[in-house]
Coordinates of all heavy atoms in Angstrom, one line a residue:
N791 N 167.5 199.9 173.1 CA 168.0 199.3 174.4 C 166.8 199.0 175.3 O 166.8 198.0 176.1 CB 168.8 200.3 175.2 CG 170.2 200.4 174.6 OD1 170.7 199.4 173.9 ND2 171.0 201.5 174.8
A792 N 165.7 199.8 175.2 CA 164.5 199.5 176.0 C 163.8 198.2 175.4 O 163.3 197.4 176.2 CB 163.5 200.7 175.8
L793 N 163.9 198.0 174.1 CA 163.4 196.7 173.6 C 164.2 195.5 174.0 O 163.7 194.5 174.4 CB 163.4 196.8 172.0 CG 162.5 197.8 171.3 CD1 162.7 197.8 169.8 CD2 161.0 197.5 171.7
I794 N 165.5 195.7 174.1 CA 166.4 194.7 174.6 C 166.1 194.3 176.0 O 166.0 193.1 176.4 CB 167.9 195.1 174.4 CG1 168.3 195.2 172.9 CG2 168.8 194.1 175.2 CD1 169.6 195.8 172.7
A795 N 165.9 195.4 176.8 CA 165.5 195.1 178.2 C 164.2 194.4 178.4 O 164.0 193.6 179.2 CB 165.5 196.5 179.0
A796 N 163.2 194.8 177.5 CA 161.9 194.1 177.6 C 162.1 192.6 177.2 O 161.5 191.8 177.9 CB 161.0 194.8 176.6
K797 N 162.9 192.3 176.2 CA 163.1 190.9 175.9 C 163.7 190.2 177.1 O 163.4 189.0 177.4 CB 164.0 190.8 174.6 CG 164.3 189.4 174.2 CD 163.1 188.7 173.6 CE 163.3 187.3 173.2 NZ 164.3 187.2 172.1
N798 N 164.7 190.9 177.7 CA 165.4 190.2 178.9 C 164.4 189.9 180.0 O 164.7 189.0 180.8 CB 166.5 191.1 179.3 CG 167.7 191.0 178.4 OD1 167.9 190.0 177.7 ND2 168.5 192.1 178.4
R799 N 163.3 190.7 180.2 CA 162.4 190.5 181.3 C 161.2 189.6 180.8 O 160.3 189.4 181.5 CB 161.9 191.8 181.9 CG 161.0 192.6 181.0 CD 160.5 193.8 181.8 NE 159.5 194.5 181.0 CZ 159.8 195.6 180.2 NH1 161.1 196.0 180.1 NH2 158.9 196.2 179.5
G800 N 161.3 189.0 179.6 CA 160.4 187.9 179.2 C 159.3 188.4 178.3 O 158.4 187.7 177.9
V801 N 159.4 189.7 177.8 CA 158.4 190.2 176.8 C 158.8 189.7 175.4 O 160.0 189.8 175.1 CB 158.4 191.7 176.9 CG1 157.4 192.3 175.8 CG2 157.9 192.2 178.3
R802 N 157.9 189.3 174.6 CA 158.2 188.9 173.2 C 158.4 190.1 172.4 O 157.4 191.0 172.4 CB 157.0 188.0 172.7 CG 157.3 187.5 171.3 CD 156.2 186.8 170.7 NE 155.0 187.7 170.4 CZ 153.9 187.3 169.9 NH1 153.7 186.0 169.6 NH2 152.9 188.2 169.6
V803 N 159.5 190.3 171.7 CA 159.8 191.4 170.9 C 160.0 191.0 169.5 O 160.8 190.1 169.2 CB 161.0 192.1 171.4 CG1 161.4 193.3 170.5 CG2 160.8 192.6 172.9
R804 N 159.2 191.6 168.6 CA 159.3 191.3 167.1 C 159.5 192.6 166.4 O 158.8 193.6 166.8 CB 158.1 190.5 166.6 CG 157.9 189.2 167.4 CD 156.8 188.4 166.8 NE 155.5 189.0 166.9 CZ 154.3 188.5 166.6 NH1 154.3 187.2 166.0 NH2 153.2 189.1 166.7
Y805 N 160.2 192.7 165.4 CA 160.6 194.0 164.7 C 160.7 193.8 163.2 O 161.3 192.9 162.7 CB 162.0 194.4 165.3 CG 162.3 195.9 165.1 CD1 162.4 196.8 166.2 CD2 162.5 196.4 163.8 CE1 162.7 198.1 166.0 CE2 162.8 197.8 163.6 CZ 162.9 198.6 164.7 OH 163.3 199.9 164.6
I806 N 160.0 194.7 162.5 CA 160.1 194.7 161.0 C 160.5 196.1 160.6 O 160.0 197.1 161.0 CB 158.7 194.4 160.4 CG1 158.2 193.0 160.8 CG2 158.8 194.5 158.9 CD1 156.7 192.7 160.3
T807 N 161.5 196.1 159.6 CA 161.9 197.3 159.0 C 162.1 197.1 157.5 O 161.8 196.0 157.0 CB 163.2 197.8 159.7 OG1 163.6 199.0 159.2 CG2 164.4 196.8 159.4
G808 N 162.6 198.1 156.8 CA 162.8 198.0 155.4 C 164.3 197.8 155.1 O 165.1 197.9 156.0
D809 N 164.6 197.6 153.9 CA 166.0 197.4 153.5 C 166.6 198.6 153.1 O 167.9 198.7 152.9 CB 166.1 196.3 152.3 CG 165.5 196.8 151.1 OD1 164.6 197.7 151.1 OD2 165.9 196.3 150.0
E810 N 165.9 199.8 153.0 CA 166.5 201.0 152.5 C 166.6 202.0 153.6 O 167.1 203.1 153.4 CB 165.6 201.6 151.4 CG 165.6 200.7 150.1 CD 164.9 201.4 149.0 OE1 164.7 202.6 149.0 OE2 164.6 200.7 148.0
G811 N 166.0 201.7 154.8 CA 166.0 202.7 155.9 C 167.4 202.9 156.6 O 168.3 202.1 156.4
A812 N 167.4 203.9 157.4 CA 168.6 204.2 158.2 C 168.4 203.6 159.6 O 167.7 204.2 160.4 CB 168.9 205.7 158.3
N813 N 169.0 202.4 159.9 CA 168.7 201.7 161.1 C 169.9 201.3 161.9 O 170.2 200.2 162.3 CB 167.9 200.4 160.7 CG 166.5 200.7 160.2 OD1 165.7 201.0 161.1 ND2 166.2 200.5 159.0
S814 N 170.8 202.4 162.1 CA 172.0 202.2 162.8 C 171.8 201.6 164.2 O 172.6 200.9 164.8 CB 172.8 203.4 162.9 OG 172.1 204.5 163.5
A815 N 170.7 201.9 164.9 CA 170.4 201.5 166.2 C 170.2 200.0 166.3 O 170.4 199.4 167.4 CB 169.2 202.2 166.8
L816 N 169.9 199.3 165.2 CA 169.8 197.9 165.2 C 171.1 197.2 165.1 O 171.2 195.9 165.3 CB 168.9 197.4 164.1 CG 167.4 197.9 164.1 CD1 166.7 197.5 162.9 CD2 166.7 197.4 165.4
N817 N 172.2 197.9 164.8 CA 173.6 197.3 164.8 C 174.1 197.4 166.2 O 175.0 198.2 166.5 CB 174.4 198.2 163.8 CG 173.9 198.1 162.4 OD1 173.4 197.1 162.0 ND2 174.1 199.2 161.7
N818 N 173.6 196.5 167.0 CA 173.9 196.5 168.5 C 174.3 195.1 168.8 O 173.6 194.1 168.6 CB 172.6 196.9 169.2 CG 172.8 197.1 170.7 OD1 173.6 196.4 171.3 ND2 172.2 198.1 171.3
S819 N 175.5 195.0 169.4 CA 176.0 193.7 169.8 C 175.2 193.0 170.8 O 175.2 191.8 171.0 CB 177.4 193.8 170.3 OG 177.5 194.7 171.4
D820 N 174.3 193.8 171.6 CA 173.5 193.2 172.6 C 172.1 192.8 172.1 O 171.3 192.4 172.9 CB 173.3 194.1 173.8 CG 174.7 194.4 174.5 OD1 175.4 193.4 174.6 OD2 174.9 195.5 175.0
L821 N 171.8 193.0 170.8 CA 170.5 192.8 170.3 C 170.1 191.3 170.5 O 170.8 190.4 170.1 CB 170.5 193.1 168.8 CG 169.1 193.4 168.2 CD1 168.7 194.8 168.7 CD2 169.3 193.5 166.7
N822 N 169.0 191.1 171.1 CA 168.5 189.8 171.5 C 167.2 189.4 170.9 O 166.5 188.5 171.3 CB 168.4 189.7 173.0 CG 167.5 190.7 173.6 OD1 166.9 191.5 173.0 ND2 167.5 190.7 175.0
F823 N 166.7 190.2 169.9 CA 165.5 189.9 169.2 C 165.7 189.9 167.7 O 166.7 190.6 167.2 CB 164.4 190.9 169.6 CG 164.7 192.3 169.3 CD1 164.5 192.9 168.0 CD2 165.2 193.1 170.3 CE1 164.8 194.2 167.8 CE2 165.5 194.5 170.0 CZ 165.3 195.0 168.8
T824 N 164.9 189.2 167.0 CA 165.0 189.1 165.5 C 164.3 190.3 164.8 O 163.2 190.7 165.2 CB 164.4 187.8 165.0 OG1 165.1 186.7 165.6 CG2 164.5 187.7 163.5

């Protein structure tokens, strides 16, 4: 949510993860970064 807020205030947000990790926090309907 802090990353989402940063993107909303004009900060560039980029995110890399793996395909085997547990990343439930990225399943967010408000997610505004790739």
Side-chain angles (χ1 to χ4, degrees):
N791 286 338
L793 294 175
I794 292 170
K797 180 71 181 297
N798 285 335
R799 68 173 184 270
V801 176
R802 186 185 67 180
V803 176
R804 303 184 294 185
Y805 198 113
I806 299 175
T807 187
D809 66 333
E810 297 184 15
N813 287 290
S814 60
L816 296 175
N817 298 325
N818 187 321
S819 59
D820 295 325
L821 204 69
N822 55 4
F823 58 87
T824 299

